[in-house]
Amino acid sequence: MQLMEKQNILIVGSGGREHALAWKCLQSPWVQRIYCAPGNPGMGRMVETVDIAVNDIAGLVQFAKDHDIHLTVVGPEAPLLKGIVDAFAEAGLQAYGPSAQAARLEGSKSEAKAFMQRWSIPTAGYRVCYTMAEAETFIAEQGAPIVVKVDGLAGGKGVVVAMTEAEAVAAAKNFLVPGSCIILEDYMQGEEVSLLAFVDGETVIPMEFAQDHKPVFEGDTGPNTGGMGAYSPVPQFGSHVLKEAMERIVKPTAAGMVAEGHPFRGVLYTGLMITDQGPKVVEYNVRFGDPEAQALLPRLKTDLIEILWASITGQLDQMDVQWDKRAAAAVVAASGGYPEAYDKGLPIAGDILTQRDSSMVFHAGTAAKNDGFVTNGGRVLAVTGLGDSLSEALSAAYRRMSDIDFAGMHYRRDIGRRAMKQASRSA
Ligand code: GLY
């Protein structure tokens, strides 16, 4: 992909994913200037941050016009669902990501399930319930385990895998709000993996697999979070699993969206359960995953700006997307108490600015104070390690993490455990 001129880029978002996007975009020779709205203090040390909230779409459009922004990259799902890409297009500007209508694949689980049913895309059996009476009847019929899901966006907190009927009823009561619905799904047995793909209409270029760690504590225990760590590649799932997922799920999804008049352009993130019957969809997301992005982007060898422009100009099929053979492991450091209540404003010790060849730090919930940084969120930062093997990548990440500290800091020490377990079994 040959661009004609250097680009001014606007990145929308403020988390670790957006920090990784900014870091990756900075490596492109096509970049003139990068702005992040609102960004975070870590990003502020690399690029210019502007105080515009992610959902202030009119404000972002105005900023892009005033600052001659060529390309806007949208990190989080909320502005996508609010129609940021449509609003930019109406203003004659380019924003990378799906339209509001295509973003409903993530915005409504019931619509996504109906879409999968229409296109025979493998996923768990389900029932949409609008009342507690419907939910209780279905739970009693199906029994446990059963999965209870919020219909709309829930920031990673809208899913309960209920191991008893009582737990399922309690989750349904908690999730069911007037005017909305919940989804009750068959429990799927298997291992989860994230498959992200660059999609432009029917053209789909998969990234390499990544695996997230949603529960807060080691051994996948405790409540779910936005994600406590990720690694890539995922050696337990080889090219045959990728091929099957592409043929039975990702390509039919892209084709179905085209056929229904809502072509998908952007990063399609399919959460997969690899079951005995093959891969099945757990959920769709319509953007880079967080923390998957912090593990995937350091492995992406191809110029990200070129990939995004190729998508926008209908030339994605001409891109040859290359991945670093090395493994990457991203470990999230969270505030004490997260994902429940936690303190903010705690001083962070250690070098959380230097981006090295084998370890990077991506900020999320940090704030600048005096000459240093304090905590300002649940997921405070992620450390990514790169290495010739997953074990080396993990060592690099944990070594770097051991130099970082704040009161109450906790992180999982078993990121990559499934891959490491498999490696030790086959050794
Ligand atoms: N890693 C989960 C997500 O990005 O939604």
Side-chain angles (χ1 to χ4, degrees):
M1 169 86 206
Q2 198 60 30
L3 288 164
M4 301 307 284
E5 56 173 336
K6 286 192 179 246
Q7 312 281 303
N8 292 327
I9 308 289
L10 171 63
I11 294 172
V12 176
S14 62
R17 164 185 49 208
E18 289 79 22
H19 193 171
L21 282 166
W23 171 83
K24 184 69 199 167
C25 287
L26 264 183
Q27 295 167 9
S28 170
W30 293 113
V31 163
Q32 173 130 338
R33 215 154 167 184
I34 300 182
Y35 301 91
C36 295
N40 62 43
M43 291 156 91
R45 299 297 177 100
M46 299 186 331
V47 298
E48 204 169 314
T49 56
V50 287
D51 191 16
I52 307 176
V54 297
N55 285 327
D56 179 1
I57 292 177
L60 292 166
V61 166
Q62 195 57 51
F63 180 87
K65 281 185 181 165
D66 293 346
H67 292 80
D68 192 22
I69 300 294
H70 300 90
L71 175 64
T72 296
V73 186
V74 185
E77 58 279 15
L80 292 168
L81 267 155
K82 270 191 88 175
I84 189 169
V85 172
D86 315 71
F88 269 64
E90 274 164 33
L93 298 162
Q94 297 288 1
Y96 179 79
S99 65
Q101 192 57 47
R104 294 203 64 74
L105 278 183
E106 176 166 0
S108 168
K109 299 238 179 315
S110 58
E111 288 176 34
K113 290 298 259 188
F115 172 86
M116 287 183 261
Q117 207 165 39
R118 286 196 293 283
W119 295 96
S120 304
I121 293 167
T123 186
Y126 73 106
R127 173 76 60 87
V128 178
C129 298
Y130 293 85
T131 65
M132 268 318 290
E134 280 176 277
E136 276 170 330
T137 307
F138 189 71
I139 291 165
E141 272 166 28
Q142 293 294 113
I146 188 166
V147 180
V148 187
K149 290 184 175 175
V150 170
D151 187 46
L153 297 184
K157 294 181 186 150
V159 179
V160 167
V161 179
M163 301 313 286
T164 65
E165 290 182 31
E167 227 184 297
V169 170
K173 273 195 184 124
N174 190 25
F175 286 168
L176 199 53
V177 290
S180 183
C181 60
I182 55 167
I183 293 86
L184 298 174
E185 269 190 14
D186 295 345
Y187 174 78
M188 291 191 283
Q189 197 100 41
E191 185 173 334
E192 276 192 60
V193 69
S194 306
L195 178 54
L196 282 69
F198 297 106
V199 177
D200 178 21
E202 292 211 34
T203 303
V204 179
I205 300 186
M207 303 185 206
E208 297 212 338
F209 280 127
Q211 190 169 58
D212 191 9
H213 299 64
K214 291 207 176 81
V216 66
F217 299 128
E218 281 149 31
D220 286 335
T221 57
N224 269 355
T225 66
M228 293 296 289
Y231 65 99
S232 173
V234 182
Q236 49 285 38
F237 303 121
S239 54
H240 64 286
V241 181
L242 178 64
K243 190 162 185 286
E244 196 179 350
M246 285 295 289
E247 294 308 320
R248 295 181 63 203
I249 293 172
V250 186
K251 287 186 188 170
T253 300
M257 293 299 282
V258 170
E260 295 191 1
H262 311 300
F264 190 97
R265 172 184 292 154
V267 170
L268 178 66
Y269 162 156
T270 313
L272 297 170
M273 184 70 80
I274 310 302
T275 71
D276 287 346
Q277 299 93 49
K280 295 187 180 184
V281 177
V282 176
E283 63 175 8
Y284 291 118
N285 294 314
V286 296
R287 33 91 193 156
F288 274 103
D290 185 340
E292 286 93 333
Q294 294 92 308
L296 284 165
L297 289 169
R299 297 192 57 229
L300 178 62
K301 281 171 74 178
T302 309
D303 188 320
L304 181 62
I305 301 294
E306 291 190 14
I307 300 174
L308 304 187
W309 266 113
S311 255
I312 279 174
T313 54
Q315 300 173 77
L316 186 61
D317 57 343
Q318 288 161 38
M319 287 303 300
D320 177 21
V321 175
Q322 297 286 330
W323 296 92
D324 193 327
K325 291 271 174 283
R326 287 178 299 168
V331 181
V332 170
S335 293
Y338 173 79
E340 312 301 339
Y342 51 83
D343 289 334
K344 289 184 183 176
L346 303 166
I348 305 172
D351 175 7
I352 59 169
L353 282 180
T354 315
Q355 307 296 19
R356 303 185 186 133
D357 271 356
S358 62
S359 71
M360 304 102 208
V361 179
F362 299 117
H363 291 221
T366 64
K369 188 161 183 196
N370 303 328
D371 285 339
F373 297 97
V374 294
T375 62
N376 194 38
R379 290 191 293 175
V380 175
L381 53 84
V383 174
T384 299
L386 275 172
D388 288 335
S389 62
L390 177 59
S391 156
E392 285 179 30
L394 287 163
S395 298
Y398 285 123
R399 224 177 10 252
R400 183 84 191 259
M401 191 68 99
S402 67
D403 291 334
I404 298 171
D405 192 33
F406 51 87
M409 165 171 143
H410 69 99
Y411 59 90
R412 280 183 57 165
R413 287 163 170 79
D414 66 345
I415 299 305
R417 73 188 182 109
R418 291 176 197 277
M420 296 304 289
K421 215 156 133 191
Q422 203 217 26
S424 70
R425 268 202 306 263
S426 45

PDB file of all heavy atoms in Angstrom, residues 212 214 226 269 285 287-292, ligand 1:
ATOM      1  N   ASP A 212      -6.982 -14.292  26.170  1.00  0.00           N
ATOM      2  CA  ASP A 212      -7.207 -13.356  27.276  1.00  0.00           C
ATOM      3  C   ASP A 212      -7.342 -14.150  28.586  1.00  0.00           C
ATOM      4  O   ASP A 212      -7.519 -15.375  28.561  1.00  0.00           O
ATOM      5  CB  ASP A 212      -8.516 -12.609  26.970  1.00  0.00           C
ATOM      6  CG  ASP A 212      -8.762 -11.426  27.885  1.00  0.00           C
ATOM      7  OD1 ASP A 212      -7.863 -11.064  28.655  1.00  0.00           O
ATOM      8  OD2 ASP A 212      -9.878 -10.859  27.830  1.00  0.00           O
ATOM      9  N   LYS A 214      -9.723 -13.513  31.713  1.00  0.00           N
ATOM     10  CA  LYS A 214     -10.727 -12.582  32.245  1.00  0.00           C
ATOM     11  C   LYS A 214     -10.871 -12.621  33.773  1.00  0.00           C
ATOM     12  O   LYS A 214     -10.982 -11.573  34.390  1.00  0.00           O
ATOM     13  CB  LYS A 214     -12.082 -12.835  31.577  1.00  0.00           C
ATOM     14  CG  LYS A 214     -12.060 -12.425  30.093  1.00  0.00           C
ATOM     15  CD  LYS A 214     -13.442 -12.050  29.593  1.00  0.00           C
ATOM     16  CE  LYS A 214     -13.404 -11.554  28.161  1.00  0.00           C
ATOM     17  NZ  LYS A 214     -13.351 -12.630  27.168  1.00  0.00           N
ATOM     18  N   GLY A 226     -12.060  -6.785  32.854  1.00  0.00           N
ATOM     19  CA  GLY A 226     -11.871  -6.461  31.440  1.00  0.00           C
ATOM     20  C   GLY A 226     -10.794  -7.322  30.800  1.00  0.00           C
ATOM     21  O   GLY A 226     -10.697  -7.380  29.577  1.00  0.00           O
ATOM     22  N   TYR A 269     -13.504  -8.858  16.248  1.00  0.00           N
ATOM     23  CA  TYR A 269     -12.891  -9.693  17.288  1.00  0.00           C
ATOM     24  C   TYR A 269     -13.933 -10.758  17.614  1.00  0.00           C
ATOM     25  O   TYR A 269     -15.008 -10.447  18.116  1.00  0.00           O
ATOM     26  CB  TYR A 269     -12.585  -8.784  18.461  1.00  0.00           C
ATOM     27  CG  TYR A 269     -12.333  -9.359  19.841  1.00  0.00           C
ATOM     28  CD1 TYR A 269     -11.585  -8.638  20.755  1.00  0.00           C
ATOM     29  CD2 TYR A 269     -12.842 -10.569  20.281  1.00  0.00           C
ATOM     30  CE1 TYR A 269     -11.364  -9.097  22.044  1.00  0.00           C
ATOM     31  CE2 TYR A 269     -12.623 -11.043  21.554  1.00  0.00           C
ATOM     32  CZ  TYR A 269     -11.892 -10.296  22.430  1.00  0.00           C
ATOM     33  OH  TYR A 269     -11.685 -10.759  23.701  1.00  0.00           O
ATOM     34  N   ASN A 285     -16.846  -8.825  19.253  1.00  0.00           N
ATOM     35  CA  ASN A 285     -16.534  -7.440  19.586  1.00  0.00           C
ATOM     36  C   ASN A 285     -16.135  -6.770  18.281  1.00  0.00           C
ATOM     37  O   ASN A 285     -15.751  -7.457  17.318  1.00  0.00           O
ATOM     38  CB  ASN A 285     -15.403  -7.364  20.612  1.00  0.00           C
ATOM     39  CG  ASN A 285     -15.818  -7.953  21.954  1.00  0.00           C
ATOM     40  OD1 ASN A 285     -16.898  -7.665  22.442  1.00  0.00           O
ATOM     41  ND2 ASN A 285     -14.980  -8.793  22.531  1.00  0.00           N
ATOM     42  N   ARG A 287     -13.801  -4.248  17.666  1.00  0.00           N
ATOM     43  CA  ARG A 287     -12.607  -3.397  17.845  1.00  0.00           C
ATOM     44  C   ARG A 287     -11.496  -4.281  18.378  1.00  0.00           C
ATOM     45  O   ARG A 287     -11.708  -5.454  18.661  1.00  0.00           O
ATOM     46  CB  ARG A 287     -12.948  -2.251  18.814  1.00  0.00           C
ATOM     47  CG  ARG A 287     -13.976  -2.647  19.912  1.00  0.00           C
ATOM     48  CD  ARG A 287     -13.393  -3.157  21.148  1.00  0.00           C
ATOM     49  NE  ARG A 287     -14.347  -3.800  22.053  1.00  0.00           N
ATOM     50  CZ  ARG A 287     -13.987  -4.681  22.950  1.00  0.00           C
ATOM     51  NH1 ARG A 287     -12.741  -5.079  23.029  1.00  0.00           N
ATOM     52  NH2 ARG A 287     -14.855  -5.252  23.743  1.00  0.00           N
ATOM     53  N   PHE A 288     -10.302  -3.702  18.482  1.00  0.00           N
ATOM     54  CA  PHE A 288      -9.208  -4.456  19.099  1.00  0.00           C
ATOM     55  C   PHE A 288      -9.586  -4.838  20.525  1.00  0.00           C
ATOM     56  O   PHE A 288     -10.267  -4.079  21.215  1.00  0.00           O
ATOM     57  CB  PHE A 288      -7.955  -3.590  19.184  1.00  0.00           C
ATOM     58  CG  PHE A 288      -7.107  -3.598  17.940  1.00  0.00           C
ATOM     59  CD1 PHE A 288      -7.138  -2.538  17.056  1.00  0.00           C
ATOM     60  CD2 PHE A 288      -6.261  -4.658  17.668  1.00  0.00           C
ATOM     61  CE1 PHE A 288      -6.343  -2.539  15.917  1.00  0.00           C
ATOM     62  CE2 PHE A 288      -5.460  -4.672  16.531  1.00  0.00           C
ATOM     63  CZ  PHE A 288      -5.501  -3.603  15.647  1.00  0.00           C
ATOM     64  N   GLY A 289      -9.135  -5.996  20.975  1.00  0.00           N
ATOM     65  CA  GLY A 289      -9.353  -6.393  22.361  1.00  0.00           C
ATOM     66  C   GLY A 289      -8.347  -5.694  23.272  1.00  0.00           C
ATOM     67  O   GLY A 289      -7.272  -5.284  22.838  1.00  0.00           O
ATOM     68  N   ASP A 290      -8.696  -5.577  24.516  1.00  0.00           N
ATOM     69  CA  ASP A 290      -7.801  -5.039  25.533  1.00  0.00           C
ATOM     70  C   ASP A 290      -7.831  -6.055  26.676  1.00  0.00           C
ATOM     71  O   ASP A 290      -8.889  -6.244  27.277  1.00  0.00           O
ATOM     72  CB  ASP A 290      -8.321  -3.669  25.992  1.00  0.00           C
ATOM     73  CG  ASP A 290      -7.380  -2.974  26.959  1.00  0.00           C
ATOM     74  OD1 ASP A 290      -6.547  -3.652  27.566  1.00  0.00           O
ATOM     75  OD2 ASP A 290      -7.494  -1.746  27.103  1.00  0.00           O
ATOM     76  N   PRO A 291      -6.784  -6.810  26.932  1.00  0.00           N
ATOM     77  CA  PRO A 291      -5.380  -6.577  26.616  1.00  0.00           C
ATOM     78  C   PRO A 291      -4.842  -7.336  25.395  1.00  0.00           C
ATOM     79  O   PRO A 291      -3.618  -7.377  25.219  1.00  0.00           O
ATOM     80  CB  PRO A 291      -4.665  -7.071  27.870  1.00  0.00           C
ATOM     81  CG  PRO A 291      -5.517  -8.211  28.336  1.00  0.00           C
ATOM     82  CD  PRO A 291      -6.941  -7.861  27.966  1.00  0.00           C
ATOM     83  N   GLU A 292      -5.691  -7.905  24.534  1.00  0.00           N
ATOM     84  CA  GLU A 292      -5.139  -8.616  23.375  1.00  0.00           C
ATOM     85  C   GLU A 292      -4.265  -7.700  22.508  1.00  0.00           C
ATOM     86  O   GLU A 292      -3.239  -8.115  21.972  1.00  0.00           O
ATOM     87  CB  GLU A 292      -6.261  -9.196  22.507  1.00  0.00           C
ATOM     88  CG  GLU A 292      -6.951 -10.423  23.094  1.00  0.00           C
ATOM     89  CD  GLU A 292      -8.179 -10.067  23.899  1.00  0.00           C
ATOM     90  OE1 GLU A 292      -8.255  -8.945  24.441  1.00  0.00           O
ATOM     91  OE2 GLU A 292      -9.085 -10.924  24.004  1.00  0.00           O
TER      92      GLU A 292
HETATM   93  N1  GLY B   1     -10.309  -8.686  26.232  1.00  0.00           N
HETATM   94  C1  GLY B   1     -11.713  -8.526  26.207  1.00  0.00           C
HETATM   95  C2  GLY B   1     -12.191  -7.385  25.446  1.00  0.00           C
HETATM   96  O1  GLY B   1     -11.436  -6.617  24.910  1.00  0.00           O
HETATM   97  O2  GLY B   1     -13.405  -7.211  25.369  1.00  0.00           O
END
